Structure formats: C-alpha cells, structure tokens
Amino acid sequence: MTTTSTSTPTVLSTIAATRELVRAARAEGRRVALVPTMGALHEGHLALVARGRELADLVVVSIFVNPLQFGPNEDFERYPRTLDADLAALAGRADAVFAPSVAEMYPAGASQTTVHAGAVGERYEGAARPGHFDGMLTVVSKLFNIVQPDVALFGQKDAQQAFLVKQMVADLNLPLAIEAVPIVREADGLALSSRNRYLSQGERVLALTLSAALGDAEEESVRGVPAARAAGLARFDQQPDVRLDYLVIVDPATFLPLEDDATGDGLMLVAARVGATRLIDNAPIHF
C-alpha cells in the first residue's frame, strides 16, 4: 500500500467533503480504510490506524463523540475532546480525519431510524448501558455509508462492540471487511483506554485488578470454566474498592455464556468501576 506523508491529515467536517475525497480515491483505484473513533487518541487507536495503513491506500479516521451511545447518567459532556492533540498524533499516519459536528450527523436533532443490536446487544455492556449498542451501531452504519470503506478497524478491547459490528455487517450484507485489532496494554498490563486519564494515581493501581483477574482465570483454565471464573472473581474479592459490574466467559462465536463443561475457545469479559471511572477488559481463554 502507499506510504502516507508526515503532514497533518486533511480535516473534513462535512459529509459531502468526505464523500468527495473518497470518490477521488476510488477513481484512482485506491483502497479505503476507516478507523471509527471518539477521539482522545492513544496508542491503541494508533495501532488501528497502522493496521489500516497495511490494508489500504487511503486511511480515514473519524472523530465523533456520538451522543446516541451515552446514557443520561454517563459522561458525554466530560468525555475528553482533544482534536488538536489527536491531529498531531495522526500526522504521518492517517490521510484524512472526518470530524463532524453533532448537527452534521443528526440534522434533525436525533436519528429517527436506528439500528437495533439484538439480543446480544442487551447483555453485558448492553445491560449496564441500555441503548448503548443501538446508538453505536447507528452511528457506525452512518459512517460506513458516508465513507464506504473496503475495511474498517475496531479495537479488540471493546470486544462486544466488535462482535456486534461484524454481526451487523453480515446481517445487512454490507460490502466491507471488519478487522478487530489486538488490545494494546501498558507494560504493567493495563489496557489502554481514553478513560484511563480520569484515574488518579491510586486508582490506576487499583485498575490493574481487571487484567490481573484475567490472568488468574487463564492460569486456572486447565481446571475448566467454573475454576477459571472463580479465580477471576476471587481477585475482585481481594479489592473491595474496585466495584465489579460483571465477569463472564463467553463463546467468541456467539457471545453467549459458556456452559460449565465447555471445551475449546472462550473469551472472558470483565467490567468494573474504579472510583468514578468505569473500565472494561477481556482476554481469550482456552479450555
């Protein structure tokens, strides 16, 4: 694929300009990759961009804090908006940034037509954040229609999101490939997240409980699903200041909980609140 320049990416604020950019690229026979984000970029996001560069000639990063996927008591207003820093981070990596306003994406004030995430979208993160995945899939479907990429890149850290996007693409016969890029972690195991910046120094130490629980479960996986689950839960019992939301082992092909006697591949999902910050993590686990 082509090599990008070291300059700051072209910033596009309208749907029309973004479509025109993509049309011009298509006329030159170029493949297009889309990396949907809400900004506040970190090395995890940049890994998605790097993978997009390997797969396509034109890499478009969308930066849009989507109000549809935030509940009434969530952090939409305080979610970090760092466009200048994001553009600096993307210099030499992405070709274009689509950074629309809410009015550009939802000119009627709200989307009257939405995508329903289905039964899996009501579990785990969906149970904790009702309507979140409907809002996410709605904006992702809009981005797919605007950019019409050959491939879109998502982070494996948001495993349920990646699963639901793949399901939507398959169910609606959308003509693009979806790739989930592995989690990027700090040296001590903490999964990178835009919300990590909310953590105090002490809370950041407590946040390591999530990745530690995943590691404990993996060590006990030779004894089966119940032992692995119990090991993960035990880690949270040792840290009462970390409030566990859920810990579940699912079949990665269906995202339904594994039976206790299951063998083969699984995926452990965990969500917990550290102080006022809600964090998620996951890891593959084999039985």
Side-chain angles (χ1 to χ4, degrees), residues 92-104:
R93 303 174 189 266
D95 300 297
V97 168
F98 176 46
S101 66
V102 173
E104 179 72 8

Side-chain angles (χ1 to χ4, degrees), residues 122-152:
E122 297 173 355
R123 293 174 174 265
Y124 324 128
E125 283 301 286
R129 306 175 65 188
H132 167 70
F133 286 122
D134 291 355
M136 179 276 295
L137 289 180
T138 298
V139 79
V140 167
S141 68
K142 288 169 72 71
L143 291 169
F144 288 171
N145 278 313
I146 293 164
V147 179
Q148 298 189 355
D150 296 286
V151 59

Side-chain angles (χ1 to χ4, degrees), residues 39-51:
L41 303 183
H42 50 65
E43 289 297 326
H45 295 109
L46 299 182
L48 306 184
V49 177
R51 180 57 177 157

